[in-house]
Amino acid sequence: MDGPEPPGDPLGVLHDDRPEPERVAALRRLADLAAGAGPGALNRYAAGLLAAGRREEAEQVWAQLVAGRPDMVVARFNLATCLVAGGDVEACARVLRACLEGAPPGSREWQLAERRLDDLAEAGDDAERQNRMLRLRVAALRERVALGLAEPGDFKRLARALYGQMHVADSGVTGRDMLEAARLAYAAEPEDPEALEALVLGLLVAGTERELSEALRKLEKVAPHSRALGLARTMRTDPEFEEAARARRDTMREVMRRAVAGDRAAEDELRAESQKFAGNFEYRVALLFAAYRRGDHAETRRLADALAAEPAADHHVHFHIAQFYWFLGEHERSRHHFALAHQTAATEGDREDAREALRTVGAGTPEELGLE
């Protein structure tokens, strides 16, 4: 992306098929070099993030770099490459058009941006063909499963295909879909490391912490150098990853706040994220608030019912859907979930919150429900 790298360079390590500890060390080295350094080092760090499979973080770094240095053409082109790798063709085209408009007509940068835009148009056609093939593959594999004709390998292929579709805009495929296929793959071949890797990936996007920890322990025994294991370790221990995760949490909190306040674009964004990460109950509870605030009681009930059916529903879920069920007139279901909120509470403070909410909405007294 920014010229050839000398042997032994950390960015070169990330582009090679090297053991995971070396890749982690190389990325950390790039982060250290970028700290307090100029835009060139930051550009290389973003390239390292992309090579390490952390595309969203790379996109954030390049976007910040472009905002601070709009004259840095290589950063703009790298951002465009990163965006198209994530499937955001429109955003990539916007960046390239900005390059085209900001460069002198006929200059090297102008010509490169024009060529990239032409390539993007062709790539868009190719990507759409690939997406169609992927959809057909998913449909065929699902049909084999439904008819009872699937072989063990079909479940792994289905999980991989759904994982690919999950990152395609408007595919309708969610993290939960991928996780369900991964569960089938693992159930069919519990001794197969690839099936266990698929399960770990599914749990990373849509599972619970308890299930994920158990699957990671198993994967560490049978495939200690697994890329999925390395990804999970990075998510849990890398300070740069944690910083990016914290920034994402802050961004999503703002999206949730806007959605609840009535911003329909924010609600649409939140809905898309909750479909990708169905195990994130905070997103789904915020959607409940948004739907109820705009008076869509049918959608509120649908969302509450979906949360109520979650085997892993926790205190946070039961506490909120109990109140929504009461406001929707589902009084017995409301009391049932107030009792579950009390039962699943981790602290006495949480239990008192459940008792207080029960009194506040008028659903009865803690004594009547045996919550004292």
Side-chain angles (χ1 to χ4, degrees):
M1 282 194 168
D2 194 11
E5 301 297 336
D9 183 89
L11 191 53
V13 171
L14 288 163
H15 282 293
D16 290 341
D17 188 16
R18 305 285 281 274
E20 192 63 28
E22 292 184 32
R23 294 170 62 81
V24 170
L27 186 59
R28 187 168 291 117
R29 175 63 177 156
L30 286 171
D32 291 341
L33 291 170
L42 201 58
N43 181 64
R44 285 164 53 79
Y45 174 51
L49 286 168
L50 186 62
R54 292 160 60 172
R55 192 202 62 78
E56 290 185 0
E57 294 171 72
E59 180 185 326
Q60 291 175 3
V61 174
W62 272 317
Q64 292 168 4
L65 190 53
V66 166
R69 286 288 306 272
D71 60 322
M72 191 174 180
V73 177
V74 68
R76 283 191 178 276
F77 284 123
N78 285 345
L79 175 59
T81 300
C82 188
L83 288 166
V84 78
D88 197 340
V89 176
E90 285 302 316
C92 175
R94 285 195 297 271
V95 172
L96 290 173
R97 282 194 290 268
C99 290
L100 197 64
E101 293 166 4
S107 66
R108 176 180 176 275
E109 292 81 5
W110 188 92
Q111 293 175 12
L112 182 57
E114 189 175 48
R115 284 200 303 273
R116 288 280 183 91
L117 280 167
D118 290 341
D119 292 343
L120 189 63
E122 293 182 14
D125 293 339
D126 290 341
E128 179 53 35
R129 282 194 292 272
Q130 291 173 4
N131 287 336
R132 283 199 299 270
M133 292 299 295
L134 193 58
R135 288 195 295 270
L136 289 171
R137 187 178 307 132
V138 167
L141 288 166
R142 280 177 161 167
E143 184 175 16
R144 287 177 63 83
V145 171
L147 294 174
L149 301 175
E151 299 176 354
D154 289 334
F155 297 116
K156 287 189 295 187
R157 284 187 282 273
L158 177 59
R160 285 195 291 266
L162 289 171
Y163 188 75
Q165 271 207 306
M166 194 179 75
H167 297 90
V168 175
D170 302 321
S171 70
V173 174
T174 70
R176 179 60 53 80
D177 295 327
M178 189 270 169
L179 177 56
E180 288 177 358
R183 289 191 197 282
L184 290 173
Y186 180 66
E189 297 181 281
E191 303 302 321
D192 182 4
E194 289 186 358
L196 187 52
E197 280 187 324
L199 180 61
V200 166
L201 285 174
L203 290 170
L204 280 170
V205 296
T208 65
E209 181 62 27
R210 181 185 59 78
E211 288 180 295
L212 177 59
S213 295
E214 182 179 347
L216 286 172
R217 282 194 297 271
K218 293 178 180 177
L219 185 58
E220 193 161 22
K221 290 180 180 178
V222 300
H225 300 298
S226 161
R227 283 289 181 88
L229 191 60
L231 174 62
R233 285 171 177 158
T234 298
M235 290 175 65
R236 293 180 166 196
T237 61
D238 191 319
E240 285 80 25
F241 189 94
E242 176 55 32
E243 183 179 346
R246 185 162 49 249
R248 176 174 170 75
R249 285 194 296 269
D250 291 342
T251 298
M252 288 309 300
R253 287 192 189 104
E254 176 61 16
V255 170
M256 287 187 279
R257 185 196 65 76
R258 286 167 39 217
V260 172
D263 184 332
R264 292 303 294 272
E267 185 179 345
D268 289 342
E269 182 178 351
L270 181 59
R271 183 175 295 105
E273 290 299 304
S274 71
Q275 288 172 346
K276 288 181 186 176
F277 306 103
N280 189 315
F281 296 143
E282 188 178 8
Y283 293 174
R284 295 167 67 183
V285 168
L287 282 174
L288 263 176
F289 278 97
Y292 188 81
R293 284 283 296 272
R294 59 182 170 80
D296 190 341
H297 290 183
E299 176 68 359
T300 303
R301 182 176 284 104
R302 187 191 69 77
L303 291 168
D305 289 347
L307 279 166
E310 288 286 350
D314 56 12
H315 166 80
H316 177 74
V317 170
H318 295 301
F319 177 78
H320 287 292
I321 64 176
Q323 296 172 72
F324 280 110
Y325 275 135
W326 184 264
F327 298 141
L328 293 170
E330 301 274 356
H331 292 171
E332 287 308 311
R333 296 191 72 179
S334 171
R335 293 188 181 96
H336 172 68
H337 286 284
F338 271 122
L340 288 174
H342 193 271
Q343 178 183 327
T344 56
T347 67
E348 180 54 35
D350 287 343
R351 284 187 285 274
E352 178 53 34
D353 286 345
R355 293 191 290 264
E356 183 60 29
L358 176 72
R359 299 186 194 98
T360 301
V361 301
T365 66
E367 294 81 6
E368 288 172 342
L369 269 67
L371 304 187
E372 291 292 355

